[in-house]
Amino acid sequence: AQKVTQAQTEISVVEKEDVTLDCVYETRDTTYYLFWYKQPPSGELVFLIRRNSFDEQNEISGRYSWNFQKSTSSFNFTITASQVVDSAVYFCALGPLSGNTPLVFGKGTRLSVIA
Amino acid sequence: DTAVSQTPKYLVTQMGNDKSIKCEQNLGHDTMYWYKQDSKKFLKIMFSYNNKELIINETVPNRFSPKSPDKAHLNLHINSLELGDSAVYFCASSQPGGIHEQYFGPGTRLTVT
């Protein structure tokens, strides 16, 4: 069975602090994709990144970086020098490669960045 | 240019009524989805259509009936609304398969009183 666990329900940081959002997944597939989505207070869901299981290179995009470690089944998301606009609920998701199986979402981590 | 649009954005109705939510995407995607997000922000897949054909039907009451007139549209009709149906409903689209990112509509907040 596919499962995504985001153990941190809520995180609160002060602006300019770095923060890491954890994501641990379970799958029996050898090939799969992992995603992060952001849901700001306005409510829309915004795609942030997709990473396939055979590419373990870390990725950096501005203040955002992602650390994929297959050995620990984790795909963690770090925001450097956090800003108030980063306040949102962040979802990690697992996408099996095969067939029409849909994305499996974690329960989300609510990040509050305080000025 | 809105990629995935939903109407209405807000829907307030009484128990027992029937209502519909419409979704359209202009991304040329073959696959569309309906998700329900409850008050705890948990996102749950309800349905998925690929090129107008139903491919995923999770455990959803049969009061919920999706309809896809063409691959750019996926509507959700709900009969005999109940209090527990209150949630935000998101439409999404993607290319087929779980390897592709999904693009979400803005959501429809349904409140059943």
Side-chain angles (χ1 to χ4, degrees):
Chain A
Q2 322 279 347
K3 186 178 177 182
V4 175
T5 302
Q6 294 180 255
Q8 303 149 310
T9 307
E10 293 192 34
I11 301 176
S12 190
V13 299
V14 176
E15 207 172 18
K16 297 184 184 175
E17 284 185 355
D18 298 347
V19 58
T20 295
L21 309 181
D22 297 334
C23 173
V24 174
Y25 61 92
E26 295 175 30
T27 179
R28 290 183 182 159
D29 292 346
T30 53
T31 307
Y32 48 87
Y33 281 73
L34 295 159
F35 304 79
W36 276 95
Y37 285 83
K38 174 182 179 180
Q39 187 173 36
S42 50
E44 72 274 21
L45 279 152
V46 179
F47 165 72
L48 294 178
I49 190 172
R50 178 183 73 161
R51 173 52 52 96
N52 66 53
S53 57
F54 33 86
D55 181 2
E56 290 195 63
Q57 280 193 349
N58 290 335
E59 182 151 344
I60 298 174
S61 175
R63 296 183 299 106
Y64 294 172
S65 62
W66 290 269
N67 183 342
F68 175 36
Q69 293 202 340
K70 207 166 180 177
S71 59
T72 56
S73 297
S74 66
F75 187 43
N76 296 337
F77 173 29
T78 297
I79 302 174
T80 303
S82 60
Q83 300 176 1
V84 172
V85 294
D86 296 327
S87 296
V89 180
Y90 291 87
F91 293 94
C92 181
L94 169 66
L97 182 62
S98 58
N100 294 308
T101 313
L103 289 183
V104 174
F105 282 86
K107 293 191 176 181
T109 296
R110 182 182 298 277
L111 172 66
S112 298
V113 181
I114 303 163
Chain B
D1 288 346
T2 304
V4 183
S5 59
Q6 292 178 232
T7 53
K9 189 164 174 59
Y10 299 97
L11 187 52
V12 181
T13 189
Q14 292 184 329
M15 283 175 56
N17 284 349
D18 303 339
K19 290 293 178 185
S20 292
I21 307 171
K22 295 186 176 182
C23 177
E24 177 181 1
Q25 55 96 3
N26 62 7
L27 296 167
H29 289 157
D30 290 334
T31 306
M32 296 185 72
Y33 313 80
W34 278 111
Y35 287 87
K36 178 180 180 180
Q37 186 175 45
D38 61 24
S39 58
K40 293 184 179 178
K41 294 291 190 180
F42 184 52
L43 269 168
K44 184 173 169 56
I45 183 77
M46 299 174 69
F47 302 103
S48 175
Y49 270 73
N50 187 48
N51 204 7
K52 302 193 299 176
E53 182 181 341
L54 180 66
I55 54 172
I56 293 170
N57 184 350
E58 294 293 307
T59 310
V60 177
N62 57 15
R63 298 182 294 104
F64 290 78
S65 52
K67 282 192 172 48
S68 182
D70 55 61
K71 72 174 191 177
H73 295 84
L74 179 61
N75 303 323
L76 183 65
H77 188 76
I78 315 170
N79 290 326
S80 303
L81 278 155
E82 300 177 358
L83 292 176
D85 298 332
S86 295
V88 180
Y89 292 84
F90 284 98
C91 175
S93 74
S94 75
Q95 289 301 348
I99 67 172
H100 296 288
E101 62 270 25
Q102 296 179 15
Y103 292 90
F104 286 80
T108 296
R109 182 175 293 279
L110 171 64
T111 304
V112 182
T113 61

